[in-house]
Amino acid sequence: MEWETVIGLEIHAQLATKSKIFSGAAIAYGAEPNTQACAIDLGMPGVLPVLNREAARMAVMLGLSIGAEIARRSVFARKNYFYPDLPKGYQISQYELPIVQKGQLTIDLEDGTRKVIGVTRAHLEEDAGKSLHEDFHGQSGIDLNRAGTPLLEIVSEPEMRSAKEAVAYMKKLHQMVVYLGICDGNMQEGSFRCDANVSVRRKGDPQFGTRAEIKNLNSFRFVERAIEFEIERQIDRIESGGKVVQETRLYDPDKGETRSMRSKEEANDYRYFPDPDLLPLVLDEDFINAARADLPELPDIKKQRFMTQYGLSAYDAGVLTASRELGDYYEAVVAALGGEPKLCANWVTGDFAAFLNKDNRDIADSPVSTAQLAGLLRRIQDRTISGKIAKDVFEALWAGEGDADAIIEKHGLRQITDTSAIEKVIDEVIAANPDQLAQYRAGKDKLFAFFVGQVMKVSKGKANPQQVNDLLMEKLKD
Amino acid sequence: MHEKTIAQLSAGLAVGHFSSEELTCAFLDRIARFNSSLNAFITITAESALTQARAADERRRRGEAGPLTGVPIAHKDIFCTDGVRTSCGSRMLDRFIAPYNATVVEKLNAAGTVMLGKTNMDEFAMGSSNETSFYGPVRNPWDLEAVPGGSSGGSAAAVAARLTPGATGTDTGGSIRQPAALCGITGIKPTYGRVSRWGMIAYASSLDQGGPMARTAEDCALLLGAMAGFDPRDSTSVDRPVPDYIAHLDQPLDGLKVGLPKEYFGEGLDRAVAQAVEAAIAEYRQLGAEMVEISLPNSHLAIPAYYVVAPAECSSNLARFDGVRYGHRCEDPKDLLDLYTRSRGEGFGAEVKRRILVGTFALSAGYYDAYYLKAQQIRRLISEDFRRAFAQVDVIMGPTSPTVAFNLGEKADDPITMYLSDIYTIAVNLAGLPSLSLPVGFVGQRPVGLQLIGDYFAEDRLLNIAHRYQQVSDWHQRTPAAFA
């Protein structure tokens, strides 16, 4: 039996505003419990919400970036349910008329093809607080710092057909919101999290199967694993004569499985209705145009430009435009060096990225500035040092030993290009290895590499490799 | 002193006939003497009142006094008052000390008024007789067997008995106008959005509106001038300049076109009340007004629509009272559900529970379209009725309530009859219009109120129309004998 998987994602992106969506309280992760909650966030009697203009602007930016319709009039609604960390007994969200509708996102698949995934809607809402069940001895603690944090819930069409596609979509959306500067994208802190709706059906069946919703997936890896597990579970269940029930499931990353949280019957009736404390959100053209003017160059467009302007491969251009910061860094290095875009790409995607990764640093706190990296590349370009030595210089740059030129001077790393000096080393090496010389001359060509290695070793890597090659070739002929 | 209006007290303070401290002491004395028979106040803030009065006198000495500086008033206990219990007439908030001031309180403080205390009210403003209060019913100063009306019954009774020269109230379906009528005083519900709702504990957010209650239209004009205005903390407040209400008071009424809706004079209106209202209308003719019969054909839908919209909003607004962060919490909850059900079960009274249940039902899946959505459509029809009327007339007049004050307990067990007491006032809230009630006579010893309804933001016109009548009548000057 051939099965087809149907996946739709609901992604919550926390908007990077300074204050909450309906109050002036600050938003900063990790503050002492209840120190960032004002009377409004506490749901005190008589308080009223006022929309944070910035949150609306950010929602519009996303909408424009995914080619969506921006609602000139959208409505905030109350989603009513009781929970101790939901101070008002309702969450302010958008229901029937969301701010963003009908967008699309193009994802890149592993086989090199692309696929367009529809975005049904994106709506603004407030986050709830947090219940803390540990350390309170039979009681629960409530932290309302997160209550009222602005979220943009972005809902896809059920158009993904595998866990890999779902991850590709999520990554693409993640890249987009971070590019736009509307979300910090920090998944560990919950700034970007995902619920996945998963169902399976027999290939060719026009009807969707019954879906399960998997809650709160906060890493790309978990999304992939949870969906894979869920697909298997649903297929097993149907093939063994059972039925999938509509329910909400929770992914347990330790066990790598999903388990039932609540069934459809236990689901709340949220009694949505328009929030009478907030007038409909009406956006005029000026507001939308101002948001459009704030849009940065979007990833796909930037990637295309990198390919044509710098002659980069699709792969390199993709890596370099994965984040706005990396692309900016790269372009600054090229500009400082005044050319050599391929060399710059190799270094930025190679050693530079590797060192960032190793130290777990952001580009913003890279110890190597774009000017410093360009300074190093200039010395490769003018053959002062070899590419191999350059790696050592980069390490020293990273360690903060100063600019490339200073490091090259200090450690005497200048490349040896003086023919007589190189010849001298070659003569030494040949003299010290008479057996290998005899074998080489007897036809064992492979030993050429041995001699190159020896010469480089004796010159401490400083001999110009091309010259070493040429001169060795001559000398070994005799 | 207690016989004087706010305007007269303001003049007396200005020329130094008495100080605010003396004035405040005089009213505090009256409260001490009479409140036990009326139960108009839930909390009396004597100490802070004297502090405010002295500060007002000091301001006056520095030459910084305005017309309301040093004038004592009372606040309905629905307005949050920083550091003072704000109970909303409910056991749920019996021990709730508000951590901030409502905008209305803040503005009246800034104008220099002195708060004597917090007045009694129907629980969470749900009621028309002040009998649903956790603190017990308020009595009508004109007849202690009668209700004062509700929900701003404490404010109305306190003004009528001269325990305070003025008070704040709120009006969701008639809660300023109906008690003003039943207690023989003047009260105005402004246009929705005219007065900030920040810090006013919500009953039905799309209908609630704060306003002043006092003896005269002139006093209401003084208070409203201080209360009204745009508030960036209330998204539904309207950014529009506040006119000088006092300046408009004396405008003549020649050629004023008054609409008399036939629906407000039909079946259900007490004959004696009708007579008093008709006498007032005759008086208005004398003042130059022209009467036109009009129709508000959807009037009969106002009560059913209101009793869907208001409970629906209240079911959501009152969800925050869950025993978790503040307010009443039951003893020894065994789990979360127990905490919720017992805290709310014990904290709320019967009428509040009734409306929460009705509202929860009206918003439930499968019923929303039939009830809430339908009710919103009716609101639009009702607004349309008024829009058509105001294309034809300047103001609408009619009775405020179909009867005079009824007896305590008379309707307490019959919610439908009780709801009918607001039959003429509710449509105004559904449309968001301004409306005023002024005293125009008595049936026996119980007062009759005339309701004026104006077009959006026509508060100045309503106050003017009421004021001109009060220049030629003395109903507003009468004091209940027991409180003279």
Side-chain angles (χ1 to χ4, degrees), chain A residues 234-248:
Chain A
Q234 292 188 11
I235 293 174
D236 281 355
R237 170 151 285 215
I238 299 170
E239 286 185 339
S240 61
K243 260 188 174 168
V244 174
V245 291
Q246 190 175 334
E247 62 184 350
T248 303

Side-chain angles (χ1 to χ4, degrees), chain A residues 10-13 93 121-125 151-155:
Chain A
E10 292 169 20
I11 287 174
H12 288 87
S93 180
R121 60 185 278 160
H123 66 253
L124 286 165
E125 63 183 27
L151 299 177
L152 191 61
E153 180 174 334
I154 305 153
V155 182

Side-chain angles (χ1 to χ4, degrees), chain A residues 331-350:
Chain A
E331 293 205 272
V333 174
V334 174
L337 188 60
E340 297 270 10
K342 180 65 189 161
L343 176 69
C344 295
N346 289 344
W347 275 85
V348 173
T349 60

Side-chain angles (χ1 to χ4, degrees), chain A residues 189-246:
Chain A
E189 291 174 5
S191 301
F192 190 85
R193 50 192 199 259
C194 172
D195 302 336
N197 284 295
V198 179
S199 65
V200 296
R201 63 177 167 188
R202 288 183 165 80
K203 203 138 204 170
D205 191 338
Q207 299 282 340
F208 287 139
T210 305
R211 68 171 194 272
E213 183 183 10
I214 314 168
K215 280 279 182 200
N216 251 342
L217 301 163
N218 64 354
S219 85
F220 296 124
R221 209 161 34 121
F222 291 170
V223 168
E224 183 163 356
R225 286 188 190 163
I227 292 174
E228 297 283 12
F229 176 89
E230 186 58 23
I231 294 168
E232 282 302 307
R233 187 189 72 83
Q234 292 188 11
I235 293 174
D236 281 355
R237 170 151 285 215
I238 299 170
E239 286 185 339
S240 61
K243 260 188 174 168
V244 174
V245 291
Q246 190 175 334

Side-chain angles (χ1 to χ4, degrees), chain B residues 3 30 140-143 157 159-162 183 478-484:
Chain B
E3 277 300 339
R30 285 186 65 78
N140 191 317
W142 292 98
D143 183 342
V159 171
R162 316 300 190 231
C183 288
R478 304 201 186 176
T479 305
F483 302 90

Side-chain angles (χ1 to χ4, degrees), chain A residues 314-329:
Chain A
Y315 177 79
D316 280 350
V319 173
L320 285 171
T321 53
S323 83
R324 211 165 133 181
E325 290 75 16
L326 193 64
D328 290 349
Y329 189 91

